[in-house]
Amino acid sequence: MSVTDELLANNARYAETFTCPLPLPPAKHVAVVACMDARINVYGVLGLAEGEAHVIRNAGGVVTDDEIRSLAISQRLLGTEEIILIHHTDCGMLTFTDDGFRKSIEDETAVRGFVFDVATGKLAEVV
C-alpha cells in the first residue's frame, strides 16, 4: 500500500464523522503564510480549528506573486483582515541555492490529484 493509499483510507474514516460544510469566509478573519516544513503544525501552533483561517504554505514561507494573489482574494473577497507570516529555525531552504537545485533535478515525480468535497469531507481522485 502506498502512502497515498494509506492517506485515502484515513480520509474515508474522516468523512464518516464529517459534519456539515463550514462557512466559506474564515471565522477568525485571518490569513497565515507559513513554510511548508512538515514539522510545523500551523493549526496547532496557533490554536486554530478548521474553518478559522486561510493557511497558505510554500517552501520557505516566501511571499511570491502567487501568495500575493491568494492574500488579495482572502482579504478583498473573503473577509480576512489580518495576515500572519511564520518562518522557522533550521529551515531547509538555507541549505541550497536555486541554481544548484535546478541542476540536480533529473527525474519526474509521480503526482496524484484529488478534489475535497466540502459537503461530505471525502476526497475524489482526479484521473
Side-chain angles (χ1 to χ4, degrees), residues 44-78:
V45 167
L46 298 175
L48 292 168
E50 292 170 300
E52 292 186 331
H54 287 153
V55 177
I56 304 162
R57 298 183 76 162
N58 66 27
V62 180
V63 179
T64 65
D65 288 345
D66 286 339
E67 281 65 38
I68 290 171
R69 176 183 176 272
S70 294
L71 290 168
I73 291 168
S74 177
Q75 294 219 319
R76 299 296 178 187
L77 301 177
L78 297 170

Side-chain angles (χ1 to χ4, degrees), residues 4 6 9 16 22 29 38 45 70 73 88 98 106 117 122:
T4 300
E6 179 184 334
E16 289 173 2
L22 297 165
H29 305 287
V45 167
S70 294
I73 291 168
H88 64 96
D98 286 346
E106 294 179 2
D117 187 326
K122 293 182 181 179

Side-chain angles (χ1 to χ4, degrees), residues 32 34-35 40-48 55 57 86:
V32 179
C35 184
I40 305 169
N41 174 349
V42 174
Y43 291 92
V45 167
L46 298 175
L48 292 168
V55 177
R57 298 183 76 162
I86 299 177

Side-chain angles (χ1 to χ4, degrees), residues 54-114:
H54 287 153
V55 177
I56 304 162
R57 298 183 76 162
N58 66 27
V62 180
V63 179
T64 65
D65 288 345
D66 286 339
E67 281 65 38
I68 290 171
R69 176 183 176 272
S70 294
L71 290 168
I73 291 168
S74 177
Q75 294 219 319
R76 299 296 178 187
L77 301 177
L78 297 170
T80 61
E81 299 167 353
E82 298 179 49
I83 298 170
I84 296 172
L85 180 61
I86 299 177
H87 289 171
H88 64 96
T89 58
D90 194 31
C91 186
M93 291 298 292
L94 302 175
T95 64
F96 62 89
T97 64
D98 286 346
D99 289 339
F101 179 67
R102 279 189 202 99
K103 290 177 185 173
S104 70
I105 297 175
E106 294 179 2
D107 297 325
E108 293 292 322
T109 302
V111 176
R112 291 172 70 182
F114 301 88

